[in-house]
């Protein structure tokens, strides 16, 4: 699991417990998923390149640093949308792409219904977002879409993952880094992560 980082930070784990709890309502769930995403963003971007920049403070000339490369945030719809706002607040110049996939309820394979990506993915760091990595099919498909569009540096930021999904990603997306808040026990018969946090899309948007 060389490419996989589990961010075992107390603030994230505290919020993850809130997200997992079935008593957490939709409003609180949305806030919590967003807050976790913001905290995870810090870890997933810690090696981004910077270049020096000369500026003047109100008191003196000095040299600071600014990010040198483009950043593209790509949520996998729907559930990944719940992680966008916090990241966009922290990286306001980031561009946002969208990939729409739904998992077929019988075959469990992802069906694509929408893609809109910014140009120049080649020279950007892509932060791919989805709170759940179950079989890994959706993330794998998204990785393929991003690769076809030219992306080179793709980092997946998820919240809960099943070991099966992580293995699938490591087998098929060898150059993608994974940042997770937790690796759960596994998948149930419906290919849901257990213990997991339920269906993140439905909990975010109140559709069940
Ligand atoms: C869920 C979840 C992930 C995907 C994970 O989405 O949000 O995108 O399934 O499963 P996988 O790793 O086996 O592909 P779903 O297809 O239910 O769509 P939604 O986000 O619109 O609810």
């Amino acid at each position: 699991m060389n490419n996989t980082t589990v961010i075992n930070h107390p603030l994230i784990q505290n919020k993850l417990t809130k997200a997992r709890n079935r008593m957490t309502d939709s409003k609180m769930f949305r806030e919590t998923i967003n807050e976790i995403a913001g905290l995870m963003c810090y870890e997933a971007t810690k090696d981004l390149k910077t270049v020096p920049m000369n500026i003047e403070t109100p008191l003196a000339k000095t040299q600071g640093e600014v990010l040198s490369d483009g950043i593209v945030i790509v949520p996998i719809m729907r559930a990944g949308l719940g992680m966008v706002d916090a990241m966009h607040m922290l990286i306001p110049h980031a561009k946002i792409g969208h990939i729409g996939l739904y998992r077929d309820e019988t075959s469990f394979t992802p069906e694509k219904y929408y893609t809109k990506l910014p140009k120049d993915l080649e020279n950007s760091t892509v932060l791919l977002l989805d709170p759940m990595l179950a079989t890994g099919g959706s993330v794998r498909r998204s990785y393929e879409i991003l690769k076809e569009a030219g992306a080179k540096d793709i980092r997946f930021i998820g919240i809960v993952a099943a070991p099966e999904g992580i293995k699938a990603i490591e087998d098929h997306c060898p150059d993608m880094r994974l940042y997770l808040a937790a690796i759960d026990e596994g998948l149930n018969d419906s290919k849901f992560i257990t213990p997991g946090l339920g269906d993140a899309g439905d909990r975010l948007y109140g559709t069940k």
Side-chain angles (χ1 to χ4, degrees), residues 99-132:
I99 295 177
L101 299 173
Y102 70 90
R103 203 173 69 160
D104 182 275
E105 284 180 8
T106 46
S107 69
F108 307 115
T109 54
E111 302 289 335
K112 186 175 84 165
Y113 59 86
Y114 187 77
T115 308
K116 185 80 181 176
L117 297 169
K119 295 194 177 72
D120 200 26
L121 286 184
E122 236 175 289
N123 300 309
S124 302
T125 295
V126 177
L127 303 175
L128 178 65
L129 311 180
D130 194 324
M132 301 198 295

Side-chain angles (χ1 to χ4, degrees), residues 76-79 101-103 130 132-138 199 201:
I76 303 175
M77 301 193 288
R78 290 175 302 167
L101 299 173
Y102 70 90
R103 203 173 69 160
D130 194 324
M132 301 198 295
L133 177 72
T135 66
S138 302
D199 186 318

Side-chain angles (χ1 to χ4, degrees), residues 43-49 72 74 125-129 143 146 152-158 175-179:
E43 181 71 21
T45 56
K46 73 178 183 187
D47 64 340
L48 292 185
K49 292 193 200 83
V72 177
V74 181
T125 295
V126 177
L127 303 175
L128 178 65
L129 311 180
Y143 168 90
L146 290 166
K152 293 201 169 95
D153 177 4
I154 309 172
R155 304 170 186 206
F156 173 67
I157 304 177
D175 60 345
M176 180 163 65
R177 288 192 241 167
L178 276 71
Y179 295 89

